[in-house]
Amino acid sequence: MSGRTVYLAEGPRVGVRLFSHEDGPEFTARARESKALHQPWLFPPATAAAYTSYAGRLIDDPARAGFFVCEKDDGGIAGFININNIVEGAFLCGALGYGAFAHAAGRGLMSEGLDLVVRYAFDTLGLHRLEINVQPGNAASIALARRCGFRLEGFSPDFLFIDGAWRDHERWAVTADMVRT
């Protein structure tokens, strides 16, 4: 765990911390183990080179923030949550992407982690709104959004290019006022 246990926020079972380059071996091993869980919805980096590029964007781009959801008992990475396309000014919004790793799926760790990241985004980053765009057939991702208080706002045909095709997505969102009430 050496130095990796500094969490930005903690719950009963998980802590969230920022992405780092040093986490590449654990992340890519978990991504490879979780391929059957992720696809066809998600394609996280499974090689060292792909992780370096991916993590670099999350670390260096001020319009992005990457978080690991870590189990507090051993510090291991249970999943990841990214805030992409952070817009300041009058919008104060970001788009969330996330994935659990297979060993942690179905245990409620991502619900706890997403709640922590949402509160961090509103309280520390000063955002007002977070959005999740999810393919309609991805029942697990929709269930997570719903459990964490996101509301369904609409449907976007041909919204994102994933796995070689433009995919329809449902739009889910939460605002700071919804979380604070």
Side-chain angles (χ1 to χ4, degrees):
M1 292 190 323
S2 66
R4 295 187 337 168
T5 57
V6 176
Y7 296 120
L8 301 170
E10 292 183 55
R13 297 183 301 150
V14 303
V16 293
R17 63 181 176 81
L18 294 173
F19 261 67
S20 76
H21 290 290
E22 293 76 25
D23 293 296
E26 181 181 359
F27 185 97
T28 55
R30 294 291 187 197
R32 289 188 301 274
E33 293 167 1
S34 304
K35 184 177 179 180
L37 174 68
H38 292 155
Q39 294 181 3
W41 320 112
L42 184 63
F43 298 83
T47 67
Y51 178 83
T52 297
S53 176
Y54 176 74
R57 289 189 303 272
L58 291 168
I59 293 166
D60 297 333
D61 185 346
R64 299 174 192 230
F67 304 89
F68 288 124
V69 177
C70 300
E71 295 187 70
K72 285 174 55 177
D73 61 354
D74 66 3
I77 300 171
F80 56 97
I81 301 170
N82 303 329
I83 307 176
N84 299 298
N85 306 321
I86 297 172
V87 179
E88 295 180 343
F91 198 31
L92 292 175
C93 182
L96 289 171
Y98 48 77
F101 289 125
H103 76 284
R107 295 174 40 209
L109 302 175
M110 288 301 291
S111 295
E112 189 177 322
L114 185 55
D115 281 340
L116 293 170
V117 170
V118 166
R119 290 186 182 282
Y120 182 84
F122 292 149
D123 296 341
T124 303
L125 299 179
L127 298 180
H128 169 71
R129 176 183 174 85
L130 292 169
E131 300 175 353
I132 297 171
N133 295 292
V134 58
Q135 294 178 63
N138 190 343
S141 187
I142 290 170
L144 178 58
R146 188 176 281 126
R147 271 193 312 275
C148 291
F150 285 73
R151 66 179 172 226
L152 178 62
E153 292 191 334
F155 181 80
S156 299
D158 297 333
F159 186 67
L160 289 173
F161 194 77
I162 298 174
D163 196 25
W166 289 99
R167 309 289 179 180
D168 299 342
H169 281 69
E170 292 180 0
R171 291 188 322 276
W172 293 76
V174 67
T175 63
D177 294 341
M178 291 168 61
V179 172
R180 291 186 184 119
T181 54

